Amino acid sequence: MWRIVGQSIRDGKKTGGVLLRGERVPDAWDLSIFEANGHRELSARPVIHWEDCGDMGDHKDALGNDVPDLEVTPAELEERRLRCLNKAAKRATTQCRRIIKASSFDEMLTITYRENQTDRALCKKHFETWVRRMKNALPGFQYCASFEVQERGAMHIHVATHKLPKMAQYKGVKIEAWKLGTKVWRSIVGEDNGLVFVGGKSRWGKGRQRKLSSAKMAAYVSKYIMKDYSDAPMGSNRYSRSNDIDPPKPTHLRLTGCSLDELIRTAFERQDGHSIVSHRIGHWGDSYWLCTEPCANGLL
């Protein structure tokens, strides 16, 4: 495999760059292991040895051959843009998922508009105001949220947070906490112009009857970041979260002398009382992913 590093685009042309040639190291794996509150994520990718094949200069292709013109086409620019968006969305998805697990969030909220409100920037402004007012009503309120465009075009928001208390203070009056989100939201977007569903919404638009586990909630909220990445403007935040949450960093290890089968058998060992949430082998059979979490009664 080949890779070019350090290449840039200037005045519509590719410039510079160093050509690297990569070869896979047999039975060697780079592991990334994230652990928080009993949750565990393990990903394994093959070790690649990269060899420096020299400076590309301004007029060579990926194999080092001379070429007369290196002007960047609109199709190449669009491909680069989508590739950058995809990478940014994947990073945001991972961070969002880990924040939810590290915070032990166990409540799901879905915030909607009744009107067909399609302005993303306005939605984020409304949501920021909603968060500030929720913090005033519920000291210590924390969250992690992603945004989504509905089929009709309206924005809505998926929020992971801690289980709401039974009662809350709102404008000097005690109310049931499950009503709080909607009252605060309507104070911002207008009376009867939206709802906050506690427990989230199912695919049929109804409230969920059973709660999601933290791991499945993390997957549910974070998947909308990937779903939304092509609609979100370049450089915009693809999720929102409390600033006082700092998930632990993953541990990185290198495992050698181990086939993919041996790697999977080793990874499948888990603590008593833990369940496998998901696992998969990469499309080309050269990577592996495993997610486990503590079992909890009554959670999906």
Side-chain angles (χ1 to χ4, degrees):
M1 64 184 71
W2 299 89
R3 176 182 293 176
I4 301 173
V5 297
Q7 188 179 73
S8 61
I9 295 177
R10 188 181 308 125
D11 297 328
K13 293 186 177 182
K14 301 175 186 176
T15 60
V18 175
L19 180 66
L20 302 178
R21 181 174 62 190
E23 291 186 2
R24 179 175 172 178
V25 180
D27 295 337
W29 307 90
D30 282 327
L31 274 61
S32 175
I33 303 172
F34 169 81
E35 295 179 298
N37 294 324
H39 294 271
R40 186 169 182 260
E41 297 179 359
L42 179 148
S43 62
R45 295 186 177 277
V47 175
I48 305 297
H49 173 71
W50 294 98
E51 179 185 356
D52 187 343
C53 295
D55 193 341
M56 287 284 295
D58 288 339
H59 300 286
K60 292 187 182 296
D61 62 16
L63 298 178
N65 301 315
D66 292 331
V67 292
D69 194 356
L70 282 176
E71 289 189 2
V72 182
T73 66
E76 287 180 304
L77 288 173
E78 178 63 10
E79 181 184 353
R80 284 171 177 256
R81 186 187 74 83
L82 292 177
R83 190 163 57 242
C84 289
L85 278 174
N86 191 44
K87 287 182 179 179
K90 285 183 176 179
R91 288 193 299 269
T93 295
T94 298
Q95 186 70 354
C96 177
R97 189 178 64 244
R98 291 176 176 176
I99 285 170
I100 291 172
K101 293 179 179 182
S103 304
S104 295
F105 287 149
D106 54 2
E107 189 76 272
M108 184 79 181
L109 309 176
T110 302
I111 306 177
T112 67
Y113 291 92
R114 182 175 182 179
E115 65 182 22
N116 196 25
Q117 204 296 97
T118 61
D119 189 326
R120 180 184 299 270
L122 180 60
C123 176
K124 290 186 176 183
K125 183 178 179 180
H126 287 162
F127 181 67
E128 290 171 1
T129 304
W130 181 84
V131 168
R132 286 198 301 271
R133 296 183 184 180
M134 287 293 288
K135 287 181 177 180
N136 288 334
L138 296 174
F141 178 78
Q142 293 181 315
Y143 73 96
C144 185
S146 62
F147 302 88
E148 183 192 10
V149 179
Q150 294 177 305
E151 289 185 7
R152 65 188 175 110
M155 299 295 300
H156 70 165
I157 310 160
H158 304 278
V159 185
T161 185
H162 292 119
K163 182 175 175 60
L164 299 177
K166 187 175 181 179
M167 304 296 292
Q169 286 278 349
Y170 181 65
K171 295 185 176 181
V173 179
K174 269 194 173 184
I175 64 170
E176 293 174 290
W178 68 269
K179 298 179 180 178
L180 177 64
T182 294
K183 284 186 174 293
V184 172
W185 184 244
R186 288 180 174 179
S187 72
I188 300 164
V189 301
E191 191 62 32
D192 201 29
N193 186 26
L195 289 169
V196 177
F197 292 87
V198 178
K201 292 177 67 179
S202 69
R203 63 195 304 179
W204 298 280
K206 298 179 180 180
R208 294 184 180 276
Q209 299 300 310
R210 289 179 290 178
K211 296 178 65 176
L212 297 172
S213 68
S214 290
K216 291 188 176 181
M217 185 186 302
Y220 181 85
V221 174
S222 62
K223 78 175 181 180
Y224 287 104
I225 296 173
M226 286 303 299
K227 182 178 178 182
D228 187 53
Y229 87 92
S230 60
D231 296 323
M234 178 71 89
S236 67
N237 291 330
R238 285 163 178 77
Y239 72 104
S240 178
R241 53 104 164 194
S242 297
N243 293 327
D244 55 349
I245 302 175
D246 189 20
K249 303 295 183 183
T251 301
H252 298 284
L253 303 172
R254 176 161 291 184
L255 186 63
T256 59
C258 180
S259 67
L260 179 60
D261 288 345
E262 292 169 332
L263 170 68
I264 293 174
R265 284 197 295 268
T266 301
F268 249 76
E269 295 179 3
R270 62 187 190 279
Q271 300 178 30
D272 291 339
H274 286 64
S275 62
I276 293 174
V277 178
S278 64
H279 73 100
R280 61 180 178 270
I281 299 174
H283 180 72
W284 303 107
D286 60 353
S287 61
Y288 183 65
W289 159 263
L290 173 70
C291 174
T292 64
E293 70 171 339
C295 295
N297 293 331
L299 299 184
L300 293 173

